[in-house]
């Protein structure tokens, strides 16, 4: 497994705002962010924080504006790239989201979340080979069970059933309670004609605690 990019350390001055957000005191958090920006109008971190606060109340336009300004000022902040990508997805702007994450993946080639999200967008567009490449990239840096499930799903769509079974079984070995892994394993075993194995997997899926 390759080394994953480390998240940047959170500046001390923003910990209060993050704490307020966790407490659900978003109006106070928003006020603190705006105070920071009034004092330092070019503070990219404060812009990104404010965007995270106001997006929760549906202010998508202002949040997008803030995130784009933040990226112009600090284009090396992977979290800002991810947050803007999520906003584009939330708005159903899938073409823009794909272009955005492709750019982000080039900037941060060892960032598993960006690779996996780009894989999801490709999968949604039926670009299964491209999705596979992104999931494999994500797995190089973070071998998470959900990434193996997603890999297995696109392998199954490419009729590579045996490889898909291996991916689902790997997911289960990492997280034996992941219902999605068992459900998809059942689909793959059914495709292979292994009815008993499929039934067993479906039964495990219905009894598992974690759906995704």
């Amino acid at each position: 497994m390759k080394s994953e990019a480390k998240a940047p350390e959170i500046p001390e001055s923003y910990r209060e705002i993050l704490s307020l957000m966790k407490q659900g005191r978003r109006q106070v958090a928003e006020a603190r962010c705006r105070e920071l920006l009034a004092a330092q109008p070019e503070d990219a971190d404060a812009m990104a924080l404010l965007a995270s606060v106001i997006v929760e109340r549906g202010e998508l336009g202002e949040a997008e504006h803030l995130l784009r300004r933040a990226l112009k000022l600090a284009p090396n902040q992977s979290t800002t790239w991810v947050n803007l990508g999520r906003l584009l997805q939330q708005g159903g702007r899938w073409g823009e989201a794909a272009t955005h994450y492709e750019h982000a993946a080039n900037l941060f080639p060892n960032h598993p979340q960006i690779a996996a999200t780009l894989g999801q967008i490709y999968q949604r567009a039926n670009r299964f080979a491209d999705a596979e490449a992104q999931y494999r990239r994500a797995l190089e840096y973070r071998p998470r069970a959900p990434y193996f499930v997603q890999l297995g799903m696109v392998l199954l769509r490419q009729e590579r059933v045996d490889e898909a079974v291996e991916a689902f079984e790997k997911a289960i070995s990492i997280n034996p309670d992941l219902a999605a892994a068992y459900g998809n394993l059942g689909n793959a075993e059914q495709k292979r004609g292994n009815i008993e194995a499929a039934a067993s997997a479906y039964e495990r899926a219905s009894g598992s605690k974690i759906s995704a």
Side-chain angles (χ1 to χ4, degrees):
M1 182 179 69
K2 295 183 180 179
S3 177
E4 179 186 343
K6 293 183 179 180
E9 187 175 345
I10 299 170
E12 185 65 36
S13 58
Y14 302 123
R15 293 178 187 247
E16 179 196 3
I17 295 171
L18 292 170
S19 177
L20 288 166
M21 291 171 67
K22 287 181 181 178
Q23 296 169 31
R25 300 171 62 191
R26 293 191 172 274
Q27 287 185 331
V28 181
E30 180 178 343
R32 294 284 192 277
C33 285
R34 294 194 186 278
E35 287 169 9
L36 283 174
L37 279 174
Q40 302 180 62
E42 301 297 295
D43 188 332
D45 290 326
M47 290 176 195
L49 267 178
L50 178 55
S52 296
V53 175
I54 65 175
V55 77
E56 294 294 328
R57 58 180 174 83
E59 296 292 341
L60 302 186
E62 185 183 0
E64 179 176 351
H65 175 70
L66 286 164
L67 291 170
R68 291 193 184 279
R69 281 187 63 203
L71 283 178
K72 284 183 180 179
L73 292 166
N76 61 336
Q77 295 295 323
S78 61
T79 301
T80 309
W81 281 92
V82 170
N83 288 342
L84 179 54
R86 285 175 176 163
L87 191 149
L88 294 172
Q89 290 173 275
Q90 186 176 343
R93 296 156 62 183
W94 296 104
E96 290 177 69
T99 300
H100 174 82
Y101 276 108
E102 285 166 352
H103 192 175
N106 286 331
L107 286 173
F108 308 101
N110 60 343
H111 196 296
Q113 184 182 2
I114 288 173
T117 304
L118 182 56
Q120 291 167 1
I121 291 171
Y122 285 153
Q123 183 176 348
R124 189 179 186 277
N126 295 330
R127 295 172 58 181
F128 301 121
D130 291 331
E132 177 190 346
Q134 293 303 318
Y135 291 143
R136 291 193 186 281
R137 177 190 279 191
L139 286 163
E140 285 182 29
Y141 297 98
R142 187 184 293 176
R144 297 181 63 231
Y147 295 167
F148 277 106
V149 172
Q150 291 168 319
L151 174 61
M153 289 170 70
V154 296
L155 290 169
L156 200 56
R157 292 299 298 266
Q158 296 175 82
E159 302 298 330
R160 292 156 61 187
V161 183
D162 291 343
E163 292 176 75
V165 168
E166 289 179 11
F168 298 137
E169 289 178 340
K170 181 64 176 177
I172 290 166
S173 73
I174 296 171
N175 184 353
D177 293 322
L178 189 58
Y182 290 107
N184 281 286
L185 177 60
N187 295 340
E189 292 291 14
Q190 195 168 22
K191 261 186 173 289
R192 291 205 296 190
N194 295 339
I195 304 305
E196 287 187 14
S200 175
Y202 289 139
E203 185 177 353
R204 293 294 301 273
S206 64
S208 294
K209 302 173 184 176
I210 303 172
S211 60

